[in-house]
Amino acid sequence: MTVTIVGSQLGDEGKGGIVDLYGDGADVVVRYQGGDNAGHTVVYGDETYKLSLVPSGAVRGKVGVLGNGCVVNPGTLFDELDALRERGLDPDVRVAERAHVILPYHRVLDGIEESEKEDLAAGTTGRGIGPTYEDKAGRRGIRIGDLLDPDVLRDRLEYVVPQKRALFSEVFGGDPDDVDPAGAFDVEALFERYRDYGERLAEEEMTVDCGAFLADHLDAGADVMMEGAQGTSIDIDHGIYPYVTSSNPTAGGAATGTGLAPAIAGDEVVGIVKAYLSRVGTGPLPTELGHVGGQTPEDGGDTSASAEETATYIRDEGGEYGTVTGRPRRVGWLDMPMLRHAARVNGFTGLAVNHIDVLAGLETVKVGHAYDLDGDERLTLPPTTERWGDCDAVYREFDGWPEVDWSDVAASGYDAVPENARTYLEYVSDQLDAPIYAVGVGPGRDETVVLEDPF
Ligand code: GDP
Ligand code: IMO
Ligand code: MG
């Protein structure tokens, strides 16, 4: 069978931890979209693994696959594999020959286009994700399979690189021969480096025909987990366009991004929900608490003293500060219209609600139950981001729950979760018409209350 793990909000809901939790029952863990824009955390014992490309099942020694829907930077992939091997893991990772390759010019163009876009910038991760998917759709991309055939690789580069040079110099006014990294727009330099990556992929027998590889495993009785990256509200089709990523994190992406048929991909679809919102990036956020300069829209966020205080509390308890920059992340109350939209788009068969421990100690926990849009009540997202920005959240309040020993709670089971937290969880489950499969009460594998294992 297959189980798909999907982020139901804005990314960073704790997908990696849930993949690790349920990964015990899987034989293969496959990523179906995105690239090294992801950062999935697995905390096991004293070890913390932050994975950007290697599927999270690697921590349990499961076979990992980067599906055809992914965009792969071979340099980051090999660095990550080498770093995990140094830490004593032995990841077995395969890469779809149909997956697209991120080249250095994609990263350069990602950065320059973000700075040109001003108000429309999404605050990307700068990994070249958007420009690589653009080339895929423009039928000028380079695929993993092309790295295995030097003649094809050279042909592709000779076609595309002059276009990128012209774009960089004539549209953006840069000098393609004076960039960091050097050689980002140089056919010969790119050819040599990417041919070498192709040789290493071949030597380590890493490339596969993803759909056939997975289907063979399923036929032989294996269980497959599909690991979504990012989240529904930053999906290119169903998210808050243009403040989105360039792929489909939603459950439909699990079929197109692997080559398994829709009826096979996603026997179970588990929506990962963070008990509040956090956002790295721009665009409206109706339930936002406080205001983060450069990301929150000018007139956005609740800037009252009490909202700022709650925002700081949630940030401190949840560690919602950028891992590299230390900058505060945007935070807000749970947004139910956003989650109802996610439940419909993805067809959740179950939910894992994380970070219940982070909200402990607050006197009152609020949720945006609905929106007021020009005097009308709305229970789900309007289709344009501009209209979303016009929505005011209509709140419901829940009594808060106390700080308790969460490891004890995880060991004892659901009945040990504080009563008010259970009321909150049951409200979410009722509204989304999906049962709670797991409740995250801390970052570790053992800090999860498991009600149901989808495998
Ligand atoms: P992902 O991108 O969805 O895999 O999520 P990230 O790993 O980027 O961010 C989630 C962060 O919260 C990580 O640091 C996790 O270790 C941590 N985390 C996950 N679940 C919980 C939880 O239930 N409680 C707390 N306190 N932290 C959690
Ligand atoms: P995981 O898998 C949170 C956001 C970026 C930006 C937008 C586009 O760890 O949940 P991109 O580089 O993809 O073109 O950036 O999407 N973003 C994420 N936010 N978690 C992620 O991944 C993200 N991946 C991209 O901040 O707003
Ligand atoms: Mg993350």
Side-chain angles (χ1 to χ4, degrees), residues 7 10-16 31 33-41 50-52 110 114 121-131 133 227-231 234-235 240 242-247 278-283 295 329:
L10 298 149
D12 300 338
E13 299 91 348
K15 298 175 291 293
R31 284 264 315 264
Q33 44 69 236
D36 58 346
N37 49 348
H40 294 183
T41 316
K50 197 106 200 149
L51 302 159
S52 66
D110 190 359
E114 276 283 289
T124 73
T125 60
R127 304 293 158 92
I129 305 294
Y133 279 114
E227 176 174 2
Q230 289 81 50
I234 54 174
D235 179 288
I240 49 171
Y243 310 107
V244 293
T245 192
S246 300
S247 67
S278 69
R279 167 75 167 138
V280 182
T282 51
Q295 294 190 35
R329 295 192 184 131

Side-chain angles (χ1 to χ4, degrees), residues 24-25 73 82 90-91 101 106 132 136 148 151 179-180 204 249 277 312 358 388 399 423 425 428 442:
D24 193 24
N73 183 327
D82 292 344
D90 184 22
V101 179
H106 291 126
T132 307
K136 170 179 175 173
L148 308 177
D151 291 337
V179 285
D180 181 26
E204 299 188 21
L277 292 188
T312 304
V358 172
W388 195 43
D399 290 334
T423 305
L425 291 163
V428 174

Side-chain angles (χ1 to χ4, degrees), residues 153-351:
L153 175 61
R154 184 178 282 285
D155 271 0
R156 296 277 190 274
L157 287 169
E158 282 177 355
Y159 173 72
V160 75
V161 172
Q163 290 190 11
K164 300 297 166 190
R165 291 178 68 88
L167 178 64
F168 187 62
S169 59
E170 281 160 40
V171 176
F172 296 118
D175 176 357
D177 294 315
D178 182 20
V179 285
D180 181 26
F185 293 88
D186 180 308
V187 171
E188 208 46 49
L190 293 169
F191 173 74
E192 281 176 24
R193 189 159 149 217
Y194 283 77
R195 182 200 50 200
D196 289 353
Y197 286 141
E199 282 173 5
R200 182 163 171 193
L201 288 166
E203 270 162 27
E204 299 188 21
E205 297 179 356
M206 287 173 70
T207 62
V208 290
D209 179 342
C210 181
F213 180 83
L214 296 177
D216 288 350
H217 274 78
L218 287 165
D219 286 347
D223 287 323
V224 174
M225 178 171 275
M226 323 279 219
E227 176 174 2
Q230 289 81 50
T232 303
S233 281
I234 54 174
D235 179 288
I236 182 118
D237 286 288
H238 305 291
I240 49 171
Y241 194 90
Y243 310 107
V244 293
T245 192
S246 300
S247 67
N248 289 121
T250 44
T256 52
T258 59
L260 288 177
I264 297 172
D267 289 325
E268 287 263 5
V269 180
V270 184
I272 314 304
V273 178
K274 194 173 213 169
Y276 54 93
L277 292 188
S278 69
R279 167 75 167 138
V280 182
T282 51
L285 208 57
T287 59
E288 182 162 10
L289 289 160
H291 187 106
V292 174
Q295 294 190 35
T296 308
E298 278 307 311
D299 53 354
D302 179 347
T303 52
S304 66
S306 67
E308 290 284 6
E309 194 184 313
T310 308
T312 304
Y313 184 86
I314 292 175
R315 267 185 209 116
D316 290 349
E317 297 292 313
E320 299 293 353
Y321 294 90
T323 33
V324 180
T325 57
R327 275 167 39 104
R329 295 192 184 131
R330 299 170 69 188
V331 295
W333 296 120
L334 201 62
D335 184 320
M336 294 309 295
M338 182 191 281
L339 287 179
R340 290 187 197 99
H341 173 74
R344 181 180 49 73
V345 171
N346 295 298
F348 295 143
T349 56
L351 303 171

